[in-house]
Amino acid sequence: MSIELGTPGVEGLVEAVHGMRPWPRDGMPVQLHPGDLGWNWSHGAEATAAAVRTWHRDGRLVAVGLLDEPRVLRMAIAPEAGDDDELAQRLLGDVAQPGRGVLPAGEASVEARFGDAFRARLAADGWGDGEAWTPLVRDLADPVEERGLRVEVVGADPAPERLRDRVAVQRASFDTSTFTEQRWRAMASGPAYTDARCLVGYDDGGAAVATATVWAAGPGRPGLIEPLGAHRDHRGRGHGRAITLACAAALRDLGSSSALVCTPSANVVGVATYVSAGFRRDPVAHDLHRDA
């Protein structure tokens, strides 16, 4: 059976988003989620398509990679292909050889939290532990407790002030953020946003203090939180925990079985915030890294 590597184009990207929807499953490692592609869509459909690589076996999607940075590839592998040695060998060849058009020569990282066969191939090829990440999961079988923060949804046709708040809090939560209203509209136009919600949290004085986007993958499947932030001028008041609880409630309303997030292990405060909101901390997962 032949395995083909491709850069999908916009039409193929839409197909990849839909093809990945059945892949998130409870009990599996947190890997690249359709919502990750949805968030990246804020850069535009063409730019996102150019950053995606797909692998098909006889026309069936079996793996997807997103170049989060030119030297960082984040992977998702179909659940039934995690132990597929033929696919693992093909993936290794494609990420290890610059001529294949996936990663450049020299230093590089691959996030492959699922797929023992692929991870074993990378390790045997000399790839070692890279950045450490902490996966966190909250089961959504039961209702989510009261959050203590007024939360508004930024709909597909948002009020101008609501969208301004969404963008402003995003930029005030991440020092390097370049998020804009135009980028939000690009994101909201993508197919993954059909099952997504943007949330803005307001304190008792009416100030916008926290924001997040949640991405469902269909009823009975884990949903993703990406991104989540609290305004730098309003930290230390429990708003991060409150917006996290709001995310869990929103995903439960969308039919998700659980809420997922994965944050750098170095972000100790972020990890503690998710744990305080009822998330279970799973074992640390490392990217696979190749030195220059």
Side-chain angles (χ1 to χ4, degrees):
M1 293 185 289
S2 63
I3 298 174
E4 296 183 359
L5 164 67
T7 300
V10 174
E11 183 177 344
L13 178 60
V14 173
E15 293 175 356
V17 169
H18 291 303
M20 291 172 64
R21 282 171 58 86
W23 294 2
R25 298 180 185 177
D26 291 312
M28 282 182 57
V30 181
Q31 57 173 349
L32 185 74
H33 189 279
D36 290 306
L37 299 187
W39 172 245
N40 200 271
W41 212 286
S42 69
H43 296 287
E46 291 80 7
T48 302
V52 168
R53 301 294 181 269
T54 56
W55 286 263
H56 288 81
R57 175 188 277 126
D58 295 337
R60 183 180 182 186
L61 187 69
V62 290
V64 176
L66 171 66
L67 287 163
D68 195 27
E69 301 173 18
R71 295 182 179 273
V72 179
L73 181 72
R74 308 208 179 279
M75 293 288 303
I77 296 174
E80 66 274 11
D83 295 322
D84 189 316
D85 197 59
E86 179 190 26
L87 175 61
Q89 181 59 38
R90 176 59 195 263
L91 292 174
L92 173 64
D94 288 338
V95 303
Q97 299 177 41
R100 301 280 180 87
V102 180
L103 288 169
E107 186 176 7
S109 292
V110 174
E111 177 192 282
R113 302 190 189 112
F114 174 74
D116 289 344
F118 181 39
R119 289 181 59 85
R121 289 276 186 175
L122 286 168
D125 196 51
W127 296 63
D129 284 349
E131 185 175 9
W133 295 79
T134 299
L136 299 117
V137 182
R138 172 167 173 150
D139 183 86
L140 297 179
D142 297 323
V144 178
E145 57 266 37
E146 179 59 41
R147 50 188 172 267
L149 192 69
R150 178 170 68 86
V151 175
E152 302 290 346
V153 175
V154 184
D157 186 21
E161 64 276 10
R162 192 78 71 233
L163 181 53
R164 284 196 296 269
D165 288 344
R166 170 69 182 88
V167 171
V169 179
Q170 180 76 27
R171 294 176 71 102
S173 300
F174 302 94
D175 292 339
T176 60
S177 175
T178 59
F179 201 56
T180 63
E181 293 183 23
Q182 181 179 4
R183 282 186 55 190
W184 184 90
R185 294 188 188 281
M187 176 186 73
S189 72
Y193 200 76
T194 302
D195 290 324
R197 298 289 185 273
C198 270
L199 310 178
V200 180
Y202 295 85
D203 66 11
D204 291 340
V209 297
T211 190
T213 305
V214 298
W215 307 86
R221 301 187 188 115
L224 178 73
I225 302 173
E226 175 61 27
L228 181 148
H231 196 297
R232 65 174 66 90
D233 296 337
H234 298 273
R235 289 176 182 161
R237 304 172 194 177
H239 300 322
R241 178 180 182 274
I243 198 70
T244 301
L245 290 171
C247 288
L251 285 171
R252 190 174 188 273
D253 289 344
L254 288 165
S256 297
S257 57
S258 58
L260 308 176
V261 68
C262 203
T263 190
S265 299
N267 181 13
V268 176
V269 173
V271 172
T273 296
Y274 288 114
V275 171
S276 73
F279 281 66
R280 180 189 74 245
R281 178 169 33 194
D282 283 352
V284 169
H286 291 265
D287 290 350
L288 278 299
H289 183 77
R290 179 181 67 195
D291 292 329

